[in-house]
Structures are given as structure tokens and as C-alpha cells.
Amino acid sequence: MSSNIEKSFSLAKERYAGIGVDVERALKILPTIPISLHCWQGDDVGGFENFGGTLGGGLVATGNHPGKARTPDELRADLEKAYSLIPGKHRLNLHAFYGEFGGEKVDRDAIEPKHFASWISWAKKNDLGLDFNPTCFSHPKAADGFTLSNADKAIRDFWIEHCRRSRDIGAAFGKALGKTCVTNIWVPDGMKDTPADRNSPRACLAESLNAIFKKQISPKLNLDAVEPKLFGIGSESFVVGSHEFYLGYAISRKKLLCLDAGHYHPTESIADKISSVLQFMPKILLHVSRGVRWDSDHVVILNDDLLAIAREIVANGFEKRVHIGLDYFDASINRVAAWTIGTRNMLRALLIALLEPPQIKIAEANGDFTSRLALQEEAKTLPFGAVWDFYCESKNVPVGEHWLAEVKRYEKTVLSKRN
Ligand code: RNT
Ligand code: ZN
């Protein structure tokens, strides 16, 4: 280890010890919190079905940075590069249309665990857990904007079957890897303009979900999550699976609620929702993202929103009750860098939260809100950077901006050859 990193770390440790923060304890907890990287950053939410479908459901990946993954092997290679730049052992979040169908046309209602065999063996080899999502968009049967809530029963049944099979695939992941899979359902269903009937589609969605979840699956193998949204591109006036819809559904059916940081009003933070919903359900899933104006999926940066999310998890000891996944896609920058930046930021935010001075909570408990505010502000410039650098070095990943040179080298030698 470089002696400067060690020197800075030991000074930082002393500084933290002086205010009652146990740095070693923080460094023991951080590696126990896995982050689920979303595979879809690697190819602009394209998938590998190859039936010429275009991105739908209001999802838009803008930008044309060269080098997006065109095959499962390329996507895995890019992911391996990203994981090599991120400290700790993490997970991969797959979407159903990333299956490997060997050139065959396997429709969504026919997917099976065997189509994910290479992903499973790759995850095993790399010691990663896998999470899963049915893909209820980018498909002719989603073209009218309705899937599980479609007025046409045949179309609903098609998507119900897809989601049922997705849960089975999640369970197969859980079994093969010995790590519980979280399978998250998000559907794009909604309307561009004011609906005349908001109720019928919601009744249909609830009924479809009941049908999907009918089969019991061991929670050791697979956990189900449902993901609400306020609005989407093309569903500005009405989203069937709104926040209240899924909050009610998740509580009454004992499912995980998935809180996506980009799915609410611009000043509405999901950080405040965490301890609210956890009063009524054992576990939740997060889609950590960053909303910018109408887009809900910018690369995660180390801003106040992210710090608040991490803090709410750590300060309340919710590390085992909150599954952390990322969800964004930026096609305008190097995609391996996008994963690396967002994941390192998520971890950095968790570390900062783990290093929170205990006096802040004590001041609040004593009713001393002056000290609380003063200490919260002073905490913002404590030397967490030195602890983060030490952590990266101890996990054998690049310190500071040094990961970028590796991504640039990869871009030059691998990604730029893809066009
Ligand atoms: C869309 C949801 C959903 C998707 C992924 C690709 O608004 O956030 O989670 O981003 O399933
Ligand atoms: Zn999401």
C-alpha cells in the first residue's frame, strides 16, 4: 500500500476517533452491503432478443457513445471491467430480454432458466448474486402502452405468463447461486392524456399481479418486488402502477416495494420514504437513479439526494432490509465508466453515512437542535476521502481517478473496435 494513503488514513482515523467514530467498524460493515448493478447500462436497454424491436415503454437512452455491448459476451466483459474498478463483491441485475436464445425466436411467454445458463455460470465464476426483471416493454404486445393492465385479456395473459416465468428464473438464480434473487416487476402501463377511466386498468393490474404471485416460491430463493412511478414519457397523465397503488399492493400482499429515486416529484426524495414504508413491510428494493427534469435515469452522482438515501439506510440499521439496485442509462458517455461512477458513488455515500458522528443523534435526542445543525454541517468536510481511498486500495481497486485510465485503455483497445 502506498505510504501516503496509509498516512492520510491514519490521520483521518485519529480525527474520527476524536469525535467518537469507529472507522474500522465502518470498514467492516461496508463490504457486507452489496450493490446490484443494472445490466442495461451496458447496451442502452437493448437486450439480446434480436427481433428488431425498439426501446419502448417510455424508456429513452440518449447519446451515441461508441462501444455499446452487442452480445452477451461483450456485456459480460464490460461488466467484468466495471466490477474490477469497484471495491467489494456485488450483484448483477438482469432483464428478461438479456436471455441467450441461440438465434431462436423465443417469445417472452416462453423464457426458461436454461436461457440464462451462461449468466448463471458466469455469476458463479465471478462470485456475484443475480437479480431479475420481467421485460414488459420493447415488444409488439406492449405497443399500445398496456401490458398487465391491458383491456384485452389475451394480452394480459401473455404478460402474466412472462412474469410467472420470470419468478421461476429468479428462483433458479437463487438456487444455483445460493443467494436470494429479487425479481422486480415494472410495467409501463399508462396514458399520455387524461383518462376517462382510471379505475378499470388498476383493477386489471391488481388481478394480474395476483395471478402472477399465486404460486408460492421460497423467499430464500426469490423475493418479489413491485415498482411504482409518477409519470413516464408518453404516460404523463396517468400511470396505472402509481405509488399508492403499489404501496397498497406491497403491504397487503407482503411484497417488496421498489422505490426508484427518479420516479417522484422533483423535490420528493425517496430517502424520507424508507423508514416510512419499512414500518409496514419487512424489506424494500431501491432503484438508485438521478432524475434531471423529465428524465428519471441519469448517472448517480454524489449529491445530497444520494447521501440522504445512504444515511437513512445506515443510520437506522436497515442494511439487511434494503436491497440496493442501480437504475440509469446514459448512452452519451463510456458505459463502463457510467457503471463505475454510479456504483462507486453509491458505496462512497454509504461509507460517509457509516462515518456519521454519533453526537448528531445525541444532540437531537437532547433537544439541542443548534448543535445538531452545527455538527451536521461540520461533518460535511470530515476526511472521508482518506478512508475511501484506503478502502479502495485495501480491496485492490484503483484509488481516486486512477480507474479512469483503465477505462480509457479499455475503450481504446476493446470498445472502439466494436463499430
Ligand atoms: C422505468 C423503471 C424500470 C426500468 C428498468 C429498465 O421507469 O425505472 O425500473 O428503468 O426496468
Ligand atoms: Zn427503476
Side-chain angles (χ1 to χ4, degrees):
M1 178 160 312
S2 121
S3 71
N4 278 342
I5 288 172
E6 263 185 286
K7 264 190 245 159
S8 303
F9 174 68
S10 101
L11 286 172
K13 207 163 108 172
E14 236 179 88
R15 171 79 173 96
Y16 277 111
I19 49 172
V21 176
D22 184 348
V23 170
E24 296 295 350
R25 181 181 165 271
L27 290 180
K28 272 202 193 90
I29 298 174
L30 188 58
T32 68
I33 309 177
I35 311 298
S36 196
L37 274 72
H38 52 312
C39 75
W40 51 94
Q41 166 61 64
D43 74 334
D44 314 337
V45 210
F48 297 127
E49 283 172 331
N50 305 319
F51 354 123
T54 48
L55 187 55
L59 306 174
V60 207
T62 50
N64 52 8
H65 196 85
K68 83 168 173 192
R70 300 161 301 179
T71 64
D73 285 334
E74 287 181 355
L75 187 58
R76 284 189 279 263
D78 295 355
L79 280 161
E80 279 179 39
K81 181 52 67 186
Y83 286 117
S84 77
L85 305 172
I86 296 164
K89 278 281 155 212
H90 298 286
R91 306 178 58 86
L92 177 70
N93 196 4
L94 276 175
H95 242 286
F97 70 166
Y98 288 84
E100 287 166 83
F101 307 107
E104 239 184 277
K105 179 162 166 60
V106 178
D107 211 343
R108 303 268 172 92
D109 62 346
I111 55 166
E112 290 178 54
K114 69 174 188 206
H115 300 121
F116 296 85
S118 304
W119 283 111
I120 294 175
S121 54
W122 177 80
K124 239 183 227 163
K125 197 180 91 205
N126 289 281
D127 194 18
L128 298 163
L130 288 178
D131 296 307
F132 201 57
N133 306 261
T135 309
C136 302
F137 53 81
S138 305
H139 188 280
K141 288 197 166 70
D144 69 353
F146 289 87
T147 62
L148 291 176
S149 72
N150 203 294
D152 179 343
K153 182 172 183 302
I155 294 192
R156 286 202 306 275
D157 287 345
F158 174 85
W159 292 111
I160 290 170
E161 184 60 22
H162 175 58
C163 292
R164 281 188 183 137
R165 285 168 179 260
S166 294
R167 294 178 76 222
D168 289 339
I169 291 165
F173 287 173
K175 190 157 186 202
L177 302 170
K179 292 177 182 161
T180 313
C181 172
V182 179
T183 297
N184 175 56
I185 298 183
W186 173 74
V187 295
D189 303 29
M191 294 194 204
K192 183 183 179 78
D193 233 324
T194 315
D197 180 3
R198 292 172 188 267
N199 182 59
S200 302
R202 287 188 169 134
C204 276
L205 179 55
E207 202 180 288
S208 294
L209 292 167
N210 291 343
I212 292 164
F213 296 133
K214 199 154 183 189
K215 175 170 157 189
Q216 295 294 319
I217 291 182
S218 161
K220 283 217 159 63
L221 303 181
N222 182 72
L223 292 170
D224 305 300
V226 289
E227 183 181 5
K229 191 167 180 173
L230 175 66
F231 80 92
I233 307 285
S235 61
E236 290 85 359
S237 302
F238 173 62
V239 168
V240 183
S242 62
H243 182 67
E244 291 71 16
F245 176 90
Y246 279 125
L247 178 62
Y249 194 88
I251 292 171
S252 59
R253 270 60 164 196
K254 303 196 179 349
K255 300 298 170 195
L256 278 71
L257 185 70
C258 172
L259 296 172
D260 185 309
H263 283 192
Y264 295 89
H265 289 283
T267 58
E268 185 180 354
S269 151
I270 63 162
D272 183 52
K273 300 184 190 300
I274 295 172
S275 63
S276 301
V277 302
L278 284 180
Q279 304 301 322
F280 306 104
M281 55 183 76
K283 285 182 158 215
I284 58 171
L285 170 66
L286 298 185
H287 272 185
V288 181
S289 183
R290 175 169 54 107
V292 177
R293 304 203 189 275
W294 55 79
D295 177 59
S296 63
D297 301 290
H298 276 54
V299 179
V300 165
I301 59 172
L302 189 63
N303 59 9
D304 286 350
D305 287 342
L306 184 68
L307 291 166
I309 292 168
R311 192 207 166 258
E312 284 303 310
I313 299 170
V314 165
N316 297 306
F318 290 151
E319 294 91 337
K320 296 276 178 274
R321 295 176 63 190
V322 178
H323 293 257
I324 305 175
L326 304 175
D327 180 14
Y328 54 78
F329 27 97
D330 189 337
S332 74
I333 61 172
N334 181 299
R335 295 166 185 80
V336 176
W339 273 316
T340 309
I341 293 166
T343 315
R344 284 175 67 113
N345 277 333
M346 185 70 239
L347 291 169
R348 214 186 326 242
L350 289 164
L351 176 64
I352 293 170
L354 286 162
L355 296 171
E356 179 174 292
Q359 289 301 328
I360 295 175
K361 271 194 179 180
I362 293 170
E364 177 169 290
N366 292 335
D368 181 359
F369 297 160
T370 309
S371 299
R372 181 185 62 187
L373 181 60
L375 297 174
Q376 280 170 335
E377 292 307 295
E378 288 304 324
K380 288 180 180 170
T381 48
L382 285 170
F384 48 78
V387 182
W388 169 250
D389 287 350
F390 177 85
Y391 182 63
C392 288
E393 180 107 334
S394 71
K395 294 289 178 195
N396 291 314
V397 304
V399 169
E401 70 287 355
H402 290 299
W403 63 264
L404 184 57
E406 187 49 34
V407 169
K408 292 283 183 191
R409 195 195 58 77
Y410 188 69
E411 177 161 299
K412 200 161 164 206
T413 56
V414 179
L415 301 177
S416 69
K417 309 244 150 83
R418 283 186 188 164
N419 293 307

